[in-house]
Amino acid sequence: MVSRNYLMNIDCELCTGCRRCAEVCPLNAIEGEQDAPQFINSERCVLCGQCVQICSAYASAFDESLTPRAIKLRERGMLETVKEPLFAAYNVGHALQVKEALASSELYKVVQCAPAVRVSLAEEFGFPYGSLTPGKMAAALRRLGFDRVYDTNFGADLTIMEEGNELVKRITEGKDLPMFTSCCPAWVNYAEQEYPELLHHLSSCKSPQQMSGVIFKTYGAKIDTMDPAKILSAAIMPCTCKQFECTREEMADSGYRDVDVVLTTRELAQLIKDKGIDFANLPDEAFDLPLGNYSGAGAIFGTTGGVMEAALRTCYELITKEKAPRIELNFVRSGEGIKTAMVRAGELELRVAVVSGLKNAAKILEDVKAGRCQYHFIEVMTCPGGCINGGGQPKFLLPEYREEAVRSRKASIYEHDSRLKIRKSHENPDIQKLYEEFLGEPLGHQSHHLLHTEYVARKGQN
Amino acid sequence: MSGTLNSFVVANPNQCIGCKVCEIVCFAVHNKNNQVAMSVGTIAAPVIPRLYLVRGETFTMPIQCRHCEDAPCANSCRIGAIKQEDKRIVIDENDCIGCKTCLLACPFGAIDLLPQFKDGEAVIQANLKEESEFGLEEKVKTIAYKCDLCQDHGEPACVTACPQQALTLVIPAEEKKRRNRQAAVNLLSALN
């Protein structure tokens, strides 16, 4: 596993010690005196990347006392063609590694993109905030040389199948409630290091990225008649922590690394520019089938409340065996903080909570510890507003741009959902086919082996 | 008299934390024509601010143009590229020949000479070339930059964006009246 320290850094040559990053860090992991360069305490950092987003201490191109830009780019794992300014807080990138892999004729290159990337990528090319461009994104990935453009949204639908059934099982057995979502790797890191005694409350489901990854190298390899050893599986994420997630030792249930490398939204944009692709004028292209097919439920995973809403659309029907009366559950669509709701599903009063921003998680966790927590199901996303505001998303020049962008991205994601013909994960025909042909049933033997994981207490062990 | 004075932006060093947001936002609003949009990824040219964060042992604050009434930069400009315009002193960046006299004349160091960019690309001089080990190379045009009080953008962007509210747009006539009123209030409370 790569060390966390290696993935998130503050360039002490550029840091002015304004400590705005320390204000947004949910773990108080940024240490240093005011007006002096800051350091990230890797024992505490969960790699959310909010410091990367807020940092405004840029490297002046005209300051000759600084380490040359070319050296800084190399240190940061960035392509040498990147023109944008460099800032003190940064995450180490992997675009060089992906570029090299894409040039190889030996490898079969497969890619997936998180739900939040398709509503932000175009901003890096001057499009209005939150422009929804899944078609251009798929076209760009193909022109970069990926052999299969699959989708994390498919994995999100798969996650709902497993997580929904897991929730119903836990409720039926009255065991390990409340259940927390487990899609957000920074949240999982946080739970592992801060609340190891509550790890059995986390859903055992892998994240959509890792579920997609393991399916690509098993079922995907089979349908494409490809040797999984030759598959290079890349993921494009709005997140600076997903790279860490894919290197976790246990994420190799396909027999190989389930996901080999992760790029952030920003890195994908840089790679597209590096290749000279005219993004603005790309045609809309479709994702490859079957592992690129997704429902509206998969699409809304990228925003706070989205995983909850997607889960409820399926859980309602699992519990009642009847069609849900409504699809759009506005009462779980929240902003920042904690949002709670009660959903009636037949006889059951399902109590749910949505936590947006990791700073808000401690209160609920303390309640769980004290046995005071009355919820059945709790969604936690580390970044305020969810993945649409992730640490790997386009960074803004002005603070007020960011708020507006997050609002637009959110509207865009729900708009995308509302226009899709299939809105529920369990109605995705390619998910149904995956179970018929390969997995068997949700929570079954094969699912257990490939799609579920275990967590490790790691207090002070990073 | 004060009604005709130029406005200017001034920073409070006690509030400034040195984050450089002012420099970034200054660059952003002046480069909309350089295809700089709202995200960092759209920036293809180097960041050129028109105010400069200065750091000393005990302080940090941005320094920028005071829009002097008898502007030494304008008085020294040999080609008349620096003008008084609507309560501000502005440089015509297209006329500027990069002679640097204004840089020497400014008592605040508020003017810098840096490469000119258009549509994200450096502007190349028509004839002047530069000797290098690979022979004659094109030479980038260098021009004088300074604060123009965001002439095309309404209120100065640095004032609005500063997360510490450390910057103030001073409109001398209003500032004078405010101080008069404050003095009267102080006097009154001293008498009572």
Side-chain angles (χ1 to χ4, degrees):
Chain A
M1 192 167 3
V2 293
S3 91
R4 296 192 200 178
N5 193 21
Y6 158 76
L7 286 171
M8 199 64 70
N9 277 309
I10 295 178
D11 185 332
C12 60
E13 203 176 37
L14 301 180
C15 178
T16 63
C18 74
R19 287 189 54 80
R20 290 203 307 145
C21 51
E23 277 170 38
V24 296
C25 176
L27 270 297
N28 295 320
I30 299 175
E31 297 171 357
E33 301 283 318
Q34 187 79 37
D35 300 326
Q38 305 293 303
F39 299 91
I40 296 176
N41 179 342
S42 58
E43 300 263 308
R44 300 188 59 76
C45 172
V46 294
L47 301 169
C48 73
Q50 289 298 311
C51 52
V52 175
Q53 288 289 329
I54 198 161
C55 181
S56 47
Y58 72 97
S60 170
F62 308 106
D63 184 347
E64 286 175 358
S65 70
L66 296 178
T67 304
R69 182 176 167 91
I71 295 175
K72 284 200 189 292
L73 285 172
R74 224 173 12 252
E75 276 172 8
R76 294 167 182 232
M78 293 171 82
L79 298 162
E80 56 184 21
T81 53
V82 171
K83 289 184 171 171
E84 65 181 54
L86 303 179
F87 292 81
Y90 68 94
N91 58 298
V92 173
H94 297 79
L96 293 163
Q97 189 187 333
V98 171
K99 188 180 172 181
E100 202 176 303
L102 285 170
S104 154
S105 54
E106 296 291 297
L107 293 167
Y108 186 71
K109 285 89 66 179
V110 177
V111 69
Q112 56 169 312
C113 275
V117 178
R118 69 208 65 198
V119 295
S120 65
L121 178 65
E123 292 164 3
E124 294 283 71
F125 299 90
F127 281 57
Y129 312 108
S131 294
L132 175 69
T133 57
K136 284 187 194 298
M137 182 176 80
L141 290 166
R142 240 168 237 134
R143 279 152 189 74
L144 282 172
F146 285 104
D147 299 299
R148 280 286 178 272
V149 180
Y150 288 147
D151 206 352
T152 314
N153 291 21
F154 177 87
D157 278 337
L158 186 54
T159 303
I160 288 302
M161 295 303 290
E162 293 294 324
E163 199 162 344
N165 279 284
E166 185 185 7
L167 177 65
V168 172
K169 183 164 182 267
R170 287 197 194 197
I171 290 172
T172 315
E173 294 174 1
K175 214 175 123 198
D176 296 336
L177 291 170
M179 183 175 92
F180 287 93
T181 56
S182 56
C183 323
C184 170
W187 149 242
V188 170
N189 281 348
Y190 174 81
E192 285 183 331
Q193 80 186 39
E194 303 293 323
Y195 289 90
E197 64 276 34
L198 299 181
L199 288 175
H200 58 286
H201 285 282
L202 261 67
S203 158
S204 65
C205 287
K206 289 181 183 173
S207 70
Q209 166 180 290
Q210 295 304 134
M211 284 202 187
S212 300
V214 77
I215 292 298
F216 295 169
K217 288 201 183 180
T218 52
Y219 179 70
K222 216 163 86 183
I223 54 178
D224 285 343
T225 53
M226 189 50 63
D227 174 5
K230 288 194 173 160
I231 296 179
L232 180 279
S233 176
I236 317 295
M237 294 285 139
C239 179
T240 47
C241 189
K242 284 284 175 187
Q243 170 64 32
F244 169 79
E245 182 184 59
C246 86
T247 59
R248 290 175 72 117
E249 215 174 296
E250 62 274 21
M251 294 297 171
D253 289 325
S254 61
Y256 307 87
R257 276 280 110 209
D258 293 336
V259 173
D260 294 292
V261 62
V262 177
L263 297 183
T264 62
T265 310
R266 292 173 70 188
E267 284 178 275
L268 173 61
Q270 290 160 4
L271 201 58
I272 292 170
K273 288 173 191 173
D274 180 79
K275 180 103 183 190
I277 296 168
D278 180 7
F279 183 84
N281 292 311
L282 284 174
D284 283 342
E285 290 182 9
F287 293 89
D288 286 310
L289 296 174
L291 305 179
N293 192 10
Y294 60 94
S295 75
I300 57 175
F301 255 61
T303 178
T304 174
V307 177
M308 178 60 70
E309 183 167 341
L312 291 177
R313 287 180 192 175
T314 289
C315 283
Y316 183 92
E317 301 190 8
L318 282 174
I319 295 169
T320 63
K321 318 275 183 236
E322 284 169 18
K323 279 249 174 265
R326 50 192 283 218
I327 288 175
E328 287 169 7
L329 308 172
N330 293 319
F331 50 86
V332 294
R333 297 183 179 182
S334 63
E336 208 174 328
I338 301 175
K339 179 141 188 168
T340 61
M342 204 272 288
V343 190
R344 184 166 287 284
E347 296 291 296
L348 181 72
E349 281 185 357
L350 193 62
R351 293 181 299 275
V352 301
V354 173
V355 180
S356 160
L358 198 51
K359 281 185 177 180
N360 302 304
K363 193 189 160 294
I364 283 194
L365 287 160
E366 289 300 327
D367 282 352
V368 176
K369 228 158 104 176
R372 286 192 303 258
C373 185
Q374 296 302 310
Y375 304 113
H376 294 104
F377 190 31
I378 303 171
E379 175 201 289
V380 183
M381 292 195 190
T382 296
C383 295
C387 317
I388 47 172
N389 192 24
Q393 289 283 55
K395 176 180 162 79
F396 292 105
L397 292 166
L398 285 189
E400 66 256 34
Y401 285 174
R402 192 162 166 210
E403 275 173 41
E404 207 182 319
V406 171
R407 260 198 310 278
S408 305
R409 291 170 186 170
K410 185 173 178 172
S412 222
I413 264 194
Y414 284 123
E415 168 78 12
H416 191 33
D417 162 42
S418 72
R419 284 172 185 241
L420 289 170
K421 225 160 82 194
I422 296 166
R423 309 282 299 276
K424 300 169 192 163
S425 299
H426 57 279
E427 291 177 359
N428 178 341
D430 287 309
I431 287 284
Q432 293 166 348
K433 207 164 130 201
L434 172 67
Y435 277 101
E436 274 160 34
E437 291 182 358
F438 183 65
L439 287 173
E441 54 178 0
L443 309 183
H445 177 72
Q446 184 78 304
S447 289
H448 180 77
H449 171 56
L450 295 177
L451 308 179
H452 291 256
T453 187
E454 282 172 3
Y455 307 103
V456 199
R458 46 181 113 230
K459 212 158 197 163
Q461 289 175 18
N462 302 322
Chain B
M1 182 59 207
S2 60
T4 63
L5 296 180
N6 292 338
S7 303
F8 61 98
V9 172
V10 70
N12 179 348
N14 295 328
Q15 273 165 275
C16 175
I17 53 170
C19 67
K20 287 174 129 182
V21 162
C22 52
E23 289 195 11
I24 288 281
V25 68
C26 175
F27 167 76
V29 297
H30 285 91
N31 281 274
K32 293 219 163 111
N33 299 334
N34 276 339
Q35 268 117 48
V36 171
M38 60 284 204
S39 88
V40 169
T42 59
I43 303 176
V47 174
I48 295 177
R50 286 161 166 80
L51 79 172
Y52 319 98
L53 186 78
V54 181
R55 291 164 61 81
E57 289 265 309
T58 55
F59 67 91
T60 165
M61 70 183 289
I63 287 293
Q64 62 205 102
C65 176
R66 289 296 275 269
H67 296 269
C68 307
E69 300 302 322
D70 293 324
C73 57
N75 288 326
S76 71
C77 182
R78 312 306 294 239
I79 54 155
I82 306 182
K83 297 163 195 154
Q84 169 82 49
E85 242 176 47
D86 185 27
K87 293 191 193 172
R88 65 186 102 206
I89 304 291
V90 292
I91 300 175
D92 187 325
E93 292 172 3
N94 290 321
D95 285 355
C96 175
I97 57 168
C99 75
K100 299 172 283 287
T101 314
C102 55
L103 182 147
L104 294 174
C106 176
F108 300 96
I111 298 180
D112 202 354
L113 274 96
L114 293 168
Q116 188 177 25
F117 285 83
K118 210 173 170 199
D119 298 335
E121 296 290 332
V123 177
I124 304 299
Q125 302 207 27
N127 294 310
L128 184 61
K129 303 275 187 240
E130 193 169 18
E131 193 97 51
S132 80
E133 54 179 312
F134 308 108
L136 283 180
E137 283 193 348
E138 290 179 323
K139 190 169 188 288
V140 176
K141 191 182 171 204
T142 296
I143 55 166
Y145 289 95
K146 74 165 194 73
C147 165
D148 59 0
L149 292 175
C150 288
Q151 55 182 342
D152 302 324
H153 318 284
E155 192 176 0
C158 53
V159 174
T160 325
C162 176
Q164 296 297 112
Q165 290 87 44
L167 292 154
T168 314
L169 172 67
V170 181
I171 301 166
E174 287 176 16
E175 184 64 18
K176 181 183 173 299
K177 270 187 207 152
R178 192 182 66 76
R179 283 170 188 249
N180 286 159
R181 271 195 304 275
Q182 190 58 48
V185 170
N186 291 350
L187 194 61
L188 225 77
S189 65
L191 288 175
N192 289 336

